[in-house]
Amino acid sequence: MASREEKQTEPFVDIFNEDEAEKSFLLSKPTCFIVFGKPGSGKKTLARKLAQIWKCIFIEALEVIQTNINEETEYGLKCQELLFKGQSISEELVTEMILKKIASPEVAHFGYVLSGFPSLSEEYMTVSQQIDKIKNLNLKPDFLINIKCSDYDLCQRISGQRQHPDSGQVYQRNQWDPNITEKHMKENDQNEEENEEEEQEEETTEDLLMMSEVLHQLVQRPEDFLENAEERLGLYKDIMVHPLEDLMAEQDSQYLIELDGSQKADDLLMDCLFSNYLKMAKNKSYVYKKYICSYCCFIKQGELFRVLSSYKPIAHRYRWRRSRWGRACPVALKEGDIVMGNPNLAVSFLGKMYLLSSLEALKTFMLNPRPYLLPPMPLPPCKVLVFGPPFSGRTTICNLIADKYKGKV
């Protein structure tokens, strides 16, 4: 009875209050995923597709390495130096890049889909230590996705893979095996008259014809040999299965998704997206995110309101509006400066417009706008000038004022 009589801090909260809804979103944690599975089960493919649909950051070892090299970061320069020397990139360096990416501003805003971590290599950390890293992340994964597939099917799939040496593209057996491709072409020809989607069939036939031109260039990678695939699966069972089972046992069952890895990649994705558990999360956050939060766009015209008033309204009779920041740049205001934004660097977020003052400020805001919009912002900085004759105590007064009001001298 006592619990019923306890008074709520805010008994009459307006759930439709726009400011409260915006503040709630800015303080909320983005949805994060981690994908597990045996080698060759399609973790990377599913994670990439899921990141594209969910509008979050795809994190995987090769992807992180390539990004750092392209952006010429400190880690990227180290990787380039090692590769130029013909050396491999250490597990320690790869792990540091992955953890730094997870802690980046864009991930703090959009969330992530993590694949390939923990890894089978225990050169730097054991599997248990890698799982402990996952448990101690500031942004812990909300959903654990486990792809299940039999060893026989995986060995057949891996041993049937071929790679194009120039592009690096990997093809499955049903894409390069002449017996299977010819069978598909015959089936397409027979069903062409019966099937209503004739254009899609023509595209499929064209793809098969294009494949026939590169068949003679495909090679089998050493790791795709049957004996090597079996060895990797055996290693996975020995060192990975039990720690992952313990991790999944600790996870709330409604946020643990297990999928059949024998399906095609698109079917696997649809199975993942339309599972009952993910539907629950989608109803709570994804619809709001999809129709409101993802509309960050560049406007390169002077008549800002006229353009945005008819650009992708997020609901019926709902238009983009001016924010409380007005024409002031949120990034500059956060740093204590009042700088008017440039209409050519306008961004729409949560249905409101923000004008950024420079390309650097625009890039920073697009990575993660939350720190610049949380209360008490927008709070115009107060600038005080203290003057007087020499030795009158100007410096002392300045320091006291700065200490009192958390300002800068």
Side-chain angles (χ1 to χ4, degrees):
M1 295 295 296
S3 61
R4 294 183 180 179
E5 295 176 357
E6 290 179 358
K7 293 183 179 180
Q8 299 179 0
T9 55
E10 296 180 1
F12 301 106
V13 175
D14 183 4
I15 61 174
F16 298 104
N17 185 289
E18 184 180 351
D19 293 335
E20 289 296 325
E22 182 175 324
K23 180 181 176 181
S24 176
F25 170 77
L26 294 174
L27 293 173
S28 67
K29 174 185 176 297
T31 306
C32 302
F33 305 83
I34 184 168
V35 183
F36 301 119
K38 298 177 181 177
S41 59
K43 301 186 296 294
K44 184 175 179 180
T45 302
L46 175 63
R48 188 186 297 276
K49 289 178 177 290
L50 185 59
Q52 291 174 350
I53 289 182
W54 208 266
K55 307 299 181 187
C56 53
I57 308 300
F58 171 58
I59 301 179
E60 189 266 342
L62 292 178
E63 186 80 11
V64 171
I65 292 172
Q66 191 62 49
T67 301
N68 278 273
I69 290 177
N70 293 339
E71 295 178 356
E72 297 183 349
T73 64
E74 181 181 353
Y75 288 114
L77 296 176
K78 288 182 181 179
C79 292
Q80 273 189 325
E81 184 180 354
L82 291 172
L83 294 175
F84 287 153
K85 292 180 180 178
Q87 301 175 6
S88 60
I89 301 173
S90 65
E91 285 293 324
E92 180 179 2
L93 187 58
V94 174
T95 303
E96 288 179 3
M97 286 189 288
I98 290 176
L99 295 178
K100 185 174 182 180
K101 185 67 175 179
I102 293 175
S104 62
E106 61 268 31
V107 169
H109 177 51
F110 293 103
Y112 64 81
V113 181
L114 178 62
S115 173
F117 189 85
S119 67
L120 284 175
S121 173
E122 294 187 316
E123 174 188 334
Y124 173 53
M125 288 192 298
T126 64
V127 172
S128 299
Q129 290 173 336
Q130 295 178 62
I131 291 179
D132 288 339
K133 284 286 186 183
I134 294 174
K135 293 179 179 179
N136 295 323
L137 290 173
N138 290 330
L139 288 178
K140 293 181 176 60
D142 300 289
F143 288 91
L144 303 184
I145 302 174
N146 183 31
I147 304 176
K148 305 175 72 174
C149 192
S150 68
D151 292 352
Y152 176 79
D153 291 340
L154 280 179
C155 288
Q156 294 300 311
R157 182 189 302 176
I158 294 173
S159 61
Q161 292 181 155
R162 298 292 185 271
Q163 185 180 43
H164 191 268
D166 294 335
S167 64
Q169 179 70 31
V170 177
Y171 297 92
Q172 301 297 328
R173 185 185 297 276
N174 59 356
Q175 295 176 293
W176 63 264
D177 192 331
N179 296 326
I180 300 178
T181 54
E182 289 177 5
K183 181 180 178 181
H184 285 321
M185 292 180 68
K186 290 179 181 179
E187 291 177 354
N188 289 334
D189 293 338
Q190 292 175 359
N191 298 330
E192 185 174 4
E193 297 179 358
E194 301 176 1
N195 197 334
E196 297 179 358
E197 300 178 357
E198 295 182 0
E199 295 181 359
Q200 184 176 357
E201 288 185 352
E202 291 176 2
E203 291 178 359
T204 305
T205 306
E206 290 178 1
D207 292 340
L208 294 174
L209 291 174
M210 290 177 60
M211 271 300 306
S212 62
E213 300 177 0
V214 298
L215 282 178
H216 65 283
Q217 301 179 10
L218 301 181
V219 296
Q220 186 176 20
R221 300 174 298 181
E223 59 266 30
D224 293 338
F225 292 157
L226 182 59
E227 56 273 17
N228 293 335
E230 293 174 346
E231 182 179 351
R232 287 164 59 199
L233 290 175
L235 182 63
Y236 180 88
K237 289 181 178 180
D238 292 338
I239 69 173
M240 187 73 76
V241 170
H242 292 301
L244 286 183
E245 287 178 347
D246 293 339
L247 177 63
M248 289 186 287
E250 297 175 5
Q251 179 76 0
D252 189 342
S253 60
Q254 65 178 338
Y255 300 114
L256 173 63
I257 302 173
E258 294 189 311
L259 303 175
D260 181 8
S262 62
Q263 304 177 81
K264 295 181 180 179
D266 291 337
D267 296 334
L268 198 64
L269 177 65
M270 296 306 294
D271 192 9
C272 175
L273 288 177
F274 288 100
S275 65
N276 292 331
Y277 310 126
L278 211 51
K279 272 185 179 179
M280 203 163 53
K282 180 184 289 189
N283 291 336
K284 289 182 180 179
S285 62
Y286 178 60
V287 173
Y288 183 75
K289 177 179 180 181
K290 178 180 178 182
Y291 289 102
I292 300 180
C293 311
S294 297
Y295 289 129
C296 287
C297 54
F298 295 97
I299 304 299
K300 297 183 178 180
Q301 300 182 22
E303 300 181 33
L304 190 61
F305 281 103
R306 185 181 63 80
V307 175
L308 284 181
S309 63
S310 60
Y311 180 75
K312 292 184 179 178
I314 60 180
H316 181 59
R317 302 174 72 178
Y318 188 99
R319 303 296 181 185
W320 303 115
R321 292 160 297 158
R322 183 188 295 274
S323 68
R324 293 193 300 270
W325 278 250
R327 291 183 56 86
C329 173
V331 177
L333 198 59
K334 180 72 173 179
E335 297 173 354
D337 296 323
I338 301 178
V339 181
M340 294 298 104
N342 185 348
N344 292 325
L345 302 177
V347 172
S348 59
F349 179 69
L350 295 178
K352 298 175 183 176
M353 293 177 294
Y354 302 91
L355 306 184
L356 285 306
S357 57
S358 65
L359 289 175
E360 183 179 355
L362 176 65
K363 182 179 178 181
T364 304
F365 188 83
M366 292 286 283
L367 288 178
N368 187 1
R370 301 187 190 211
Y372 308 101
L373 305 183
L374 284 169
M377 302 296 292
L379 186 63
C382 178
K383 300 183 179 181
V384 179
L385 173 63
V386 178
F387 59 94
F391 304 106
S392 61
R394 291 171 301 180
T395 303
T396 303
I397 293 295
C398 284
N399 291 331
L400 289 174
I401 294 175
D403 183 64
K404 175 69 175 178
Y405 298 101
K406 310 300 181 184
K408 294 182 180 180
V409 177

